[in-house]
């Protein structure tokens, strides 16, 4: 047994999800240790797109930094059949007030910014320290690490990817199916004249090919992320064999004999699997991100969904650790996030099947019907809205409500203008980092303010409305920008909701 003092939360995995969980917990004053089996930070990554919801999460955590300035705005997809463009999909404004932009950016840069923010919060990841055993009891979890350490924590959060040791040690099932044969991935410097204002795809009888422009840390403007469907091969290829395949695939599928590969930055391969953990919680062990769900990369939903898991989990776990809520609150994490993962899995699975269609009927539907549909403006607006995840709502969950005027409890609230207690103008989402927010009318509602301060302690900020979006109403906004409670200046009703939501049972309206 370790002689070290018990930490509040041990986070396993220093990827985007684990780092975001740790940042969220530290913002609430919770002690955290982050461990990872890798020897150090990743320098390359599969994920390379952050949609608006992910940018909002990073912003609220204080980890957005200069990522927008380092990213590209490649907000369109052009698909070719042969040398003819058959689809031009443009991602625009999702129509929901947000200060956070979608970004084409390497996951490695996102992780670096999260590590920077975590260091500001007095926590740094511990490398070469993978989880090898975990034993949970009613008071906490004892974890054995690969570097010989034994760590005692109140809670353990597994953010250690699709092969999660945490999930396996907790005995949580991870059922699913394989959806495709292998895809090849590469970050390559290329000599060609392809437009860098968007992603380009080619439909070809031998398989699809996609090319996305990537920001280059060396300042070059010729770095591309390539993905190619390459079925019919059983053995795992070497890096050189992957590179050789791209030498063949590029001119064949793009119909450009002059394209040249200058050098390779990163090479990999994967097969698409659809898997979902049976449960997100086993006692005091919790799962988040790819440890809980895995799906196709199409649509950029992987890192996005993991960041959403992290933010949802962190504020709830913080309340439980601080004794402001009962353990039953942790069950609402799965209740809110697992249905979303199921929806993401369905969507990305459908896109995968379309992309790898090999039958005559499947290719006809993809090339002649679906491609034409996605040229329609209303479909493009729908695609922007869907992939952004700004639509995510928990109104059907145990903390939400299906009744009343919109936005309802459980719905995301826009990044509204507001006034702080010191009279300075601000915006709602900027005030949520590690805090709840009570959005008050321009005057009054002192009783509600006192009630929420008593229930939640110092981790709540009081704000006044600027534009009367909710005249004569009080909104209690969760740290993840979803409405917790909405009503008149009725402290008794607010107290009943807080007691129900934080200490078990469905909140009454």
């Amino acid at each position: 047994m370790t002689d070290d003092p018990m930490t509040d939360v041990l986070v396993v995995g220093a990827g985007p999800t684990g780092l975001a969980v740790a940042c969220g917990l530290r913002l609430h004053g919770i002690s955290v240790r982050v461990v990872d089996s890798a020897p150090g930070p990743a320098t390359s990554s599969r994920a390379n797109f952050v949609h608006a919801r992910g940018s909002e999460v990073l912003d609220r955590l204080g980890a957005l930094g200069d990522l927008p300035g380092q990213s590209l705005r490649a907000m369109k997809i052009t698909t070719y059949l042969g040398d003819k463009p058959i689809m031009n999909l443009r991602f625009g404004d999702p129509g929901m007030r947000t200060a956070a932009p979608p970004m084409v950016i390497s996951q490695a840069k996102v992780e670096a910014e999260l590590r920077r923010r975590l260091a500001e919060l007095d926590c740094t990841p511990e490398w070469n320290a993978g989880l090898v055993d975990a034993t949970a009891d009613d008071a906490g979890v004892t974890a054995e690490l690969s570097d010989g350490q034994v760590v005692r924590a109140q809670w353990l959060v597994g953010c250690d990817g699709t092969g999660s040791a945490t999930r396996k040690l907790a005995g949580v099932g991870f059922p699913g199916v394989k959806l495709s044969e292998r895809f090849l991935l590469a970050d390559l410097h290329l000599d060609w004249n392809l437009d860098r204002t968007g992603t380009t795809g080619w439909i070809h009888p031998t398989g699809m090919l996609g090319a996305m422009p990537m920001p280059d840390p060396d300042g070059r403007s010729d770095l591309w992320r390539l993905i190619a469907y390459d079925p019919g091969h059983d053995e795992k290829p070497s890096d050189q064999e992957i590179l050789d395949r791209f030498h063949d695939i590029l001119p064949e599928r793009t119909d450009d004999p002059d394209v040249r590969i200058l050098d390779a930055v990163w090479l990999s391969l994967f097969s698409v699997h659809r898997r979902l953990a049976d449960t997100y919680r086993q006692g005091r062990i919790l799962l988040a991100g790819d440890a809980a769900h895995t799906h196709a990369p199409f649509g950029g939903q992987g890192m996005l969904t993991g960041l959403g898991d992290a933010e949802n989990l962190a504020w709830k776990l913080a309340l439980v650790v601080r004794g402001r809520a009962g353990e039953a609150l942790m069950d609402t994490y799965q209740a809110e996030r697992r249905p979303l993962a199921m929806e993401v899995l369905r969507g990305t699975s459908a896109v995968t099947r379309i992309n790898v269609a090999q039958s005559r009927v499947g290719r006809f539907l993809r090339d002649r019907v679906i491609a034409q549909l996605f040229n329609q403006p209303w479909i493009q607006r729908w695609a922007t809205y869907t992939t952004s995840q700004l639509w995510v709502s928990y109104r059907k969950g145990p903390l939400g409500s299906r009744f009343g005027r919109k936005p309802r409890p459980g719905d995301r609230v826009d990044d509204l203008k507001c006034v702080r207690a010191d009279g300075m103008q601000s915006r709602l989402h900027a005030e949520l980092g590690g805090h709840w927010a009570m959005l008050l009318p321009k005057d009054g509602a002192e009783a509600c303010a006192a009630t929420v301060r008593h229930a939640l302690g110092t981790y709540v900020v009081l704000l006044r409305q600027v534009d009367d979006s909710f005249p004569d109403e009080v909104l209690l906004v969760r740290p993840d920008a979803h409405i917790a409670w909405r009503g008149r200046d009725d402290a008794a009703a607010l107290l009943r909701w807080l007691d129900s939501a934080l200490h078990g049972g469905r909140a009454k309206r």
Side-chain angles (χ1 to χ4, degrees):
M1 181 67 68
T2 178
D3 294 328
D4 293 338
M6 178 185 284
T7 191
D8 292 332
V9 181
L10 175 65
V11 176
V12 180
T17 302
L19 293 168
V21 169
C23 285
L25 290 168
R26 289 297 301 134
L27 284 167
H28 286 270
I30 304 303
S31 65
V32 181
R33 289 181 66 176
V34 181
V35 298
D36 197 293
S37 60
T43 57
S44 59
S45 59
R46 283 187 178 182
N48 58 355
F49 201 103
V50 180
H51 286 285
R53 174 71 178 230
S55 295
E56 281 194 350
V57 173
L58 294 171
D59 187 29
R60 287 190 287 270
L61 294 176
L64 189 59
D66 187 42
L67 291 178
Q70 299 178 55
S71 68
L72 296 178
R73 294 291 184 271
M75 297 294 109
K76 67 178 182 179
I77 300 175
T78 303
T79 302
Y80 286 83
L81 182 60
D83 60 356
K84 179 182 178 182
I86 60 171
M87 185 183 78
N88 288 284
L89 174 61
R90 292 183 178 274
F91 294 93
D93 184 347
M96 305 177 76
R97 282 189 277 180
T98 177
M103 302 180 291
V104 177
I105 188 101
S106 167
Q107 178 179 320
K109 287 190 175 183
V110 174
E111 291 176 2
E113 189 61 30
L114 282 164
R115 288 195 303 273
R116 179 203 62 78
R117 178 57 171 148
L118 189 58
E120 288 182 347
L121 299 169
D122 297 321
C123 180
T124 57
E126 301 170 42
W127 304 105
N128 289 308
L131 183 69
V132 296
D133 198 11
T135 305
D137 53 50
D138 292 341
V141 181
T142 301
E144 296 182 24
L145 306 181
S146 58
D147 62 358
Q149 292 188 78
V150 177
V151 179
R152 182 69 176 165
Q154 290 190 50
W155 295 83
L156 188 152
V157 182
C159 307
D160 43 348
T162 57
S164 172
T166 306
R167 187 186 63 243
K168 295 171 184 175
L169 290 167
V172 175
F174 199 45
V177 295
K178 186 176 180 179
L179 296 178
S180 76
E181 300 304 319
R182 74 178 192 180
F183 282 85
L184 304 181
L185 280 173
D187 286 353
L188 304 175
H189 289 112
L190 298 175
D191 180 11
W192 63 355
N193 294 319
L194 193 64
D195 181 12
R196 286 182 64 85
T197 62
T199 296
T200 304
W202 292 266
I203 296 171
H204 191 272
T206 60
M208 59 81 66
L209 171 67
M212 173 180 283
M214 292 288 289
D216 193 326
D218 296 329
R220 295 171 60 176
S221 58
D222 57 0
L223 182 62
W224 295 83
R225 164 69 55 86
L226 300 185
I227 178 172
Y229 186 49
D230 195 39
H233 301 271
D234 295 328
E235 295 183 3
K236 182 178 179 180
S238 65
D239 284 357
Q240 185 59 52
E241 288 171 329
I242 294 174
L243 186 58
D244 291 342
R245 282 294 294 147
F246 273 112
H247 276 288
D248 296 334
I249 286 171
L250 270 169
E252 177 186 41
R253 299 185 188 178
T254 65
D255 198 28
D256 182 358
D258 297 324
V259 60
R260 287 194 310 121
I261 297 175
L262 302 178
D263 59 80
V265 176
W266 175 66
L267 298 159
S268 186
L269 79 160
F270 70 95
S271 296
V272 176
H273 291 79
R274 167 181 168 165
R275 296 189 181 278
L276 181 64
D278 288 334
T279 179
Y280 283 18
R281 178 188 176 196
Q282 192 78 305
R284 287 180 173 254
I285 298 177
L286 299 147
L287 301 175
D290 289 348
H293 44 75
T294 184
H295 48 80
F298 304 113
Q301 300 296 291
M303 181 162 54
L304 175 63
T305 307
L307 289 171
D309 289 349
E311 188 178 37
N312 186 287
L313 173 59
W315 70 261
K316 293 174 179 177
L317 191 51
L319 282 175
V320 174
V321 170
R322 296 206 323 269
R324 295 280 179 175
E327 284 191 25
L329 181 64
M330 297 316 306
D331 294 329
T332 71
Y333 163 60
Q334 172 172 307
E336 291 188 337
R337 295 299 299 177
R338 197 169 183 273
L340 171 65
M342 293 175 67
E343 193 161 341
V344 170
L345 262 63
R346 282 194 292 268
T348 55
S349 297
V351 173
T352 300
R353 292 188 178 102
I354 291 168
N355 279 332
V356 303
Q358 295 295 306
S359 70
R360 182 177 299 177
V361 173
R363 291 198 303 267
F364 174 81
L365 289 173
R366 178 191 63 199
D367 304 346
R368 305 299 181 185
V369 178
I370 295 174
Q372 293 304 315
L373 275 175
F374 272 85
N375 285 321
Q376 303 301 311
W378 68 272
I379 286 284
Q380 302 199 4
R381 289 192 296 271
W382 169 82
T384 295
Y385 174 73
T386 300
T387 56
S388 75
Q389 285 198 20
L390 295 179
W391 53 270
V392 170
S393 172
Y394 306 128
R395 69 172 65 154
K396 295 180 181 179
L399 301 179
S401 175
R402 307 187 191 196
F403 308 104
R405 287 171 293 173
K406 297 179 181 179
R408 298 170 183 151
D411 289 346
R412 169 191 171 274
V413 65
D414 290 341
D415 194 14
L416 303 171
K417 293 179 180 179
C418 56
V419 177
R420 301 189 322 209
D422 60 7
M424 297 294 292
Q425 284 211 1
S426 185
R427 54 184 181 84
L428 176 60
H429 290 194
E431 300 296 326
L432 290 175
H435 289 81
W436 295 65
M438 174 152 275
L439 193 60
L440 305 167
K442 291 182 177 179
D443 299 296
E446 280 77 11
C448 277
T451 297
V452 77
R453 275 277 174 84
H454 177 74
L456 299 175
T458 58
Y459 292 93
V460 60
V461 61
L462 303 180
L463 305 168
R464 295 284 178 182
Q465 298 181 41
V466 170
D467 54 6
D468 281 331
S469 298
F470 303 91
D472 302 320
E473 281 193 287
V474 175
L475 261 69
L476 179 60
V477 182
R478 302 167 12 165
D480 56 2
H482 288 259
I483 298 174
W485 182 86
R486 175 181 178 180
R488 302 290 178 178
D489 185 15
D490 186 342
L494 174 59
L495 182 59
R496 287 194 298 272
W497 183 87
L498 286 165
D499 285 343
S500 178
L502 301 185
H503 299 287
R506 186 177 179 87
K508 296 179 180 179
R509 293 292 180 267

